[in-house]
Amino acid sequence: MNSLGRHILVEFHGCSSEVLNDVPHIEASMLKAAKESGATIISSTFHHFSPFGVSGVVVIQESHLAIHTWPEYRYAAVDLFTCGYSVNPWVSYEILKTEFQAHHGSAVELNRGQLELLEKSDIDLGDLRDTATQKLISPRYSRNVWFTDRNENIALSIRHKGDRIFYEKSPYQSVEIFDTFEYGKMLTVDKMVMCSEKDEKAYHEMIIHVPMLVQPDIRNVLVIGGGDGGSVREILKHEQVESVTMVEIDEAVVRASREYLPTLSAALDDPKLELIIGDGIDFVRQAPDETYDLIVVDSSDPVGPSEGLFSQAFYQDVYRCLRPGGVMTAQSESPRFNQRAFVELNHCLKDIFGVASVHCYLAFIPTYPTGMWGFSFCAKGDRHPVQDLESDRAAQFATAHNLQYYNAGIHQAAFCLPTAIDQMLNG
Ligand code: SAM
């Protein structure tokens, strides 16, 4: 070799779109390509871009491997740059072609730093050289891999440890669990964050204890969705509850949570729970009138199987299945991330329950894009979520159960909406 390095510029066409949009798969493929070519890996950084595409680089002791993907064109541009004799970048080329399921690959090889054009000079490191740098230090490998929950204009990225702990493409959606650095294990459905170990309490305590501490006589509960088990765990803290029926469409969510999120899913084995794997929309359509004191709609965002959980017909059935005096709570999306769904759902609920019986409240959930998340409290009757709260009882309950987000003050404050959000709903 008469140059310092070899730089191979690669074009991969006709790849799998799904693979080219999959950060953990791409990172794993690039690491494999580096390792098997004989390189020593130092660090990797991979990001997902909106709405599609992944960019990343693997820094190796012998230079780098870099990638940019365009899943919508089934195309990836890859750079393989290696120095010295020990690494063969063509090994990386073949591995990546297979991993990305490319129909066609082409490459141009450039010699970088042609020796006949270079003049070597002696560098005296002088004072820069200290005893530490003289020792042979083997490089420490670091990874920088990010999960991104996004729409076309807003994204929230959370760094995780790189490997996917759980992945399954179920008949309904893709279900994944990542181990994040800041938030513990995190469940995602179709690339949307569902919950994380560290901040799930905000969501589950607020969707459950707000209705249950306003209406202390709740005995029979129906949960739609909620496959991670967090809502059921909170419901069963109320001893008067006699039965909980949970209807979750996707058994993969339940299985993943049972295996990897035990702090959420432990209550799924409680004898008071009947767990039904099925469509919540069909379930309420067929359920008898006036059966439940509380119905909780713990759904994902309004895409895929959850879409119908944001419809008028579904909530008409929910209303019919509630006993008089009963309450329904639903996660109602973010006024800042998903304003249209937030406003439309609240209007739909007002049409069904009546304007005076629907009350929106907010909680702060850092792992959901924008952090500001909406819930709707809907009463079949005139129970008011703030005026009918016995705050002493709520405070005692929160202390006795060591709740981490809910307290009597938060309960009341959650219904005070920022002016702009209030105008969004009522203006
Ligand atoms: N607890 C979560 C959180 O903290 O955001 C809420 C998400 S929970 C995992 C949402 C569940 O609703 C998902 O597991 C999804 O499979 C389920 N789901 C979606 N559509 C459904 C339907 N039509 N019937 C029943 N469950 C549904």
Side-chain angles (χ1 to χ4, degrees):
M1 193 164 78
N2 62 351
S3 62
L4 293 176
R6 304 162 78 182
H7 202 158
I8 303 188
L9 303 175
V10 183
E11 306 274 278
F12 285 132
H13 292 272
C15 305
S16 153
S17 300
E18 205 171 312
V19 168
L20 292 191
N21 208 30
D22 182 337
V23 179
H25 189 119
I26 291 178
E27 196 230 15
S29 306
M30 295 284 282
L31 291 176
K32 181 175 169 195
K35 209 165 156 205
E36 298 200 7
S37 69
T40 303
I41 298 166
I42 293 176
S43 69
S44 61
T45 296
F46 283 80
H47 284 265
H48 191 269
F49 287 96
S50 186
F52 312 111
V54 173
S55 289
V57 59
V58 178
V59 177
I60 55 178
Q61 208 167 15
E62 304 81 2
S63 289
H64 70 254
L65 282 66
I67 184 165
H68 303 278
T69 75
W70 283 261
E72 67 276 38
Y73 293 108
R74 301 170 66 205
Y75 165 75
V78 178
D79 274 29
L80 306 170
F81 184 19
T82 62
C83 302
Y85 297 94
S86 58
V87 180
N88 181 357
W90 289 102
V91 172
S92 306
Y93 171 89
E94 290 301 336
I95 289 171
L96 294 175
K97 190 171 175 212
T98 309
E99 290 290 337
F100 301 159
Q101 298 163 30
H103 283 165
H104 177 71
S106 62
V108 179
E109 180 169 338
L110 301 173
N111 287 334
R112 304 297 301 271
Q114 287 189 31
L115 291 174
E116 61 268 28
L117 301 177
L118 299 175
E119 193 177 331
K120 194 170 184 184
S121 53
D122 289 331
I123 301 175
D124 180 6
L125 291 178
D127 292 343
L128 291 175
R129 189 183 287 254
D130 60 23
T131 44
T133 53
Q134 283 175 38
K135 287 188 195 143
L136 186 61
I137 301 168
S138 48
R140 284 234 333 260
Y141 162 48
S142 70
R143 288 168 94 180
N144 218 337
V145 191
W146 297 77
F147 175 88
T148 304
D149 188 340
R150 64 185 192 278
N151 63 20
E152 40 317 324
N153 300 319
I154 300 172
L156 171 78
S157 289
I158 298 171
R159 188 174 165 219
H160 60 83
K161 294 186 184 161
D163 297 323
R164 209 170 0 209
I165 294 178
F166 181 94
Y167 174 69
E168 193 164 313
K169 210 162 168 48
S170 78
Y172 302 102
Q173 54 211 356
S174 65
V175 180
E176 295 170 275
I177 296 185
F178 298 94
D179 193 3
T180 71
F181 283 95
E182 283 297 325
Y183 289 99
K185 303 221 172 50
M186 180 174 81
L187 170 72
T188 70
V189 162
D190 281 347
K191 307 250 178 267
M192 293 173 278
V193 175
M194 291 291 115
C195 55
S196 72
E197 284 177 318
K198 187 162 162 186
D199 76 351
E200 56 90 7
K201 297 231 166 72
Y203 179 97
H204 293 115
E205 290 179 6
M206 290 301 277
I207 201 169
I208 300 303
H209 301 309
V210 167
M212 294 198 79
L213 287 163
V214 168
Q215 159 51 299
D217 202 26
I218 286 171
R219 289 172 201 281
N220 305 107
V221 184
L222 172 65
V223 179
I224 302 293
D228 49 68
S231 290
V232 173
R233 178 194 64 203
E234 296 304 316
I235 291 165
L236 291 170
K237 289 179 179 165
H238 296 263
E239 282 168 8
Q240 83 281 3
V241 169
E242 291 164 8
S243 72
V244 184
T245 305
M246 183 173 111
V247 187
E248 161 62 59
I249 203 165
D250 196 345
E251 67 78 31
V253 175
V254 177
R255 190 159 29 86
S257 305
R258 276 191 200 279
E259 193 162 353
Y260 297 106
L261 299 170
T263 54
L264 284 107
S265 59
L268 293 176
D269 294 320
D270 193 284
K272 285 185 185 171
L273 174 70
E274 183 189 8
L275 170 57
I276 296 171
I277 300 297
D279 186 350
I281 301 163
D282 291 345
F283 184 89
V284 290
R285 195 180 300 130
Q286 287 158 26
D289 296 358
E290 301 186 358
T291 311
Y292 302 103
D293 304 305
L294 171 66
I295 299 180
V296 179
V297 183
D298 183 1
S299 66
S300 356
D301 296 340
V303 284
S306 269
E307 212 171 326
L309 299 178
F310 288 74
S311 72
Q312 186 118 10
F314 170 69
Y315 283 105
Q316 265 154 357
D317 283 321
V318 166
Y319 185 83
R320 183 181 53 72
C321 297
L322 271 181
R323 290 202 178 111
V327 180
M328 193 268 318
T329 45
Q331 75 86 359
S332 50
E333 296 296 310
S334 166
R336 287 292 180 219
F337 185 63
N338 214 344
Q339 178 175 338
R340 196 162 144 208
F342 170 77
V343 172
E344 283 180 3
L345 180 61
N346 277 287
H347 284 163
C348 160
L349 294 172
K350 283 178 183 167
D351 286 346
I352 295 167
F353 286 82
V355 174
S357 296
V358 175
H359 306 267
C360 176
Y361 60 105
L362 298 176
F364 179 61
I365 303 172
T367 50
Y368 289 175
T370 74
M372 183 191 266
W373 217 257
F375 298 86
S376 297
F377 173 103
C378 307
K380 188 171 184 173
D382 54 9
R383 200 166 285 265
H384 192 281
V386 177
Q387 285 153 19
D388 291 328
L389 177 72
E390 283 177 50
S391 357
D392 290 349
R393 199 176 147 266
Q396 277 163 18
F397 184 91
T399 309
H401 291 278
N402 191 24
L403 301 187
Q404 298 296 299
Y405 187 92
Y406 179 95
N407 57 45
I410 289 261
H411 180 130
Q412 294 168 59
F415 287 88
C416 294
L417 301 182
T419 306
I421 309 299
D422 190 49
Q423 285 169 349
M424 211 181 260
L425 293 178
N426 304 312

